[in-house]
Amino acid sequence: MASSRQISKIDSEEPSLRLAVLIDADNAQAAVIEELLAEIARFGEATVKRIYGDFTAPTSSSWKKVLQRYAIKPVQQFAYSTGKNATDSTLIIDAMDLLYTRKFDGFCLITSDSDFTGLAMRIREEGLTVLGFGGKKTPDAFRNACHKFIFTEVLRPSGEQSKTKSKTENGPSHAQQLPPEPAEPKHAFPQKFLLTALDQSTDDSGWAHLATFGNYLTKLQPDFDPRLFGYKKLSELVKAKTDLFVTEERESPGSGQKVLYLRAK
């Protein structure tokens, strides 16, 4: 379970974490790297950026185009034998080396591979924040091992996925030959989950501070993201769901700023 200090850092408006960003080239897409790094910047500074894979393989061609532009250090790893993933081992060894330098507040693991579940848990045991980024195919085990997990699909503007994938992975000459990808299925709105979390977040008067509510959502479900349901921010979601929530803006003592409170309707 994440500490309140860690969750506060994650949701803070002022990015404060020193982060090591480690990318599994075999299980991540280069098409969203710009949006991915922008998302990481919300949480802190990417002090180290490394990507692991066999960059002599054709499947890594899309990554080779963006590494220099975004100052990501490639770590070349040849496949020693068929069926064995040497890339995973190299990434994990590097992560442990970086962990023991004590220079970082957290790690960003960019992968959809459940093999990194143990690594995420080990980093958490050291009291550091673990941010996971991966596709919707990412197994629950890895997603729940992170303090916060973000689906890379929400980082790409709607309708851009098939277009970007055609250009970056297959080249412009193949873009016209690929059939359009089916639209992403809409997520069922988790009404019961939200109301349960709100009940646990309220004070004696029945009201909850938005940040407290958001922290509790992340603790219960690390991959919860309002963008999955069409809202950029949690505040937009609770304001829009007038059938579930009553919201109220209050002035924060000493700052003069407005803060949002909510309660169940």
Side-chain angles (χ1 to χ4, degrees), residues 36-57:
L36 180 66
L37 293 176
E39 184 75 11
I40 290 171
R42 292 178 53 232
F43 303 106
E45 178 187 359
T47 307
V48 166
K49 291 180 287 185
R50 297 181 186 176
I51 185 168
Y52 301 80
D54 182 0
F55 298 101
T56 65

Side-chain angles (χ1 to χ4, degrees), residues 25 73 90 98 125 171 222 264:
K73 178 182 177 181
T90 303
L98 293 170
E125 288 175 357

Side-chain angles (χ1 to χ4, degrees), residues 172-249:
S173 62
H174 296 280
Q176 300 296 327
Q177 301 176 18
L178 291 177
E181 294 186 359
E184 287 288 341
K186 293 184 178 180
H187 284 249
F189 189 76
Q191 178 174 326
K192 183 178 179 181
F193 167 68
L194 289 172
L195 292 176
T196 300
L198 178 59
D199 184 60
Q200 298 296 321
S201 309
T202 55
D203 57 22
D204 292 340
S205 66
W207 289 86
H209 189 289
L210 181 68
T212 303
F213 179 50
N215 290 344
Y216 201 80
L217 289 174
T218 302
K219 287 181 181 180
L220 290 177
Q221 192 172 310
D223 59 4
F224 177 81
D225 194 321
R227 289 172 292 190
L228 292 171
F229 313 103
Y231 302 95
K232 290 184 178 180
K233 298 179 180 179
L234 182 59
S235 59
E236 294 180 6
L237 185 152
V238 298
K239 287 180 179 179
K241 294 296 180 179
T242 55
D243 57 325
L244 299 179
F245 308 112
V246 176
T247 59
E248 181 179 289
E249 289 190 344

Side-chain angles (χ1 to χ4, degrees), residues 87-108:
T87 298
D88 290 6
S89 300
T90 303
L91 191 156
I92 291 170
I93 291 170
D94 256 17
M96 296 308 295
D97 287 343
L98 293 170
L99 175 66
Y100 290 129
T101 65
R102 309 295 180 187
K103 293 180 179 179
F104 303 95
D105 299 308
F107 282 70
C108 297

Side-chain angles (χ1 to χ4, degrees), residues 8-16 41-43 233 257-258:
S8 296
K9 273 190 170 186
I10 290 175
D11 289 334
S12 172
E13 293 182 359
E14 293 296 329
S16 57
R42 292 178 53 232
F43 303 106
K233 298 179 180 179
Q257 296 181 338
K258 296 285 187 178

Side-chain angles (χ1 to χ4, degrees), residues 10-24:
I10 290 175
D11 289 334
S12 172
E13 293 182 359
E14 293 296 329
S16 57
L17 299 176
R18 293 172 298 173
L19 300 169
V21 179
L22 307 180
I23 305 172
D24 175 12

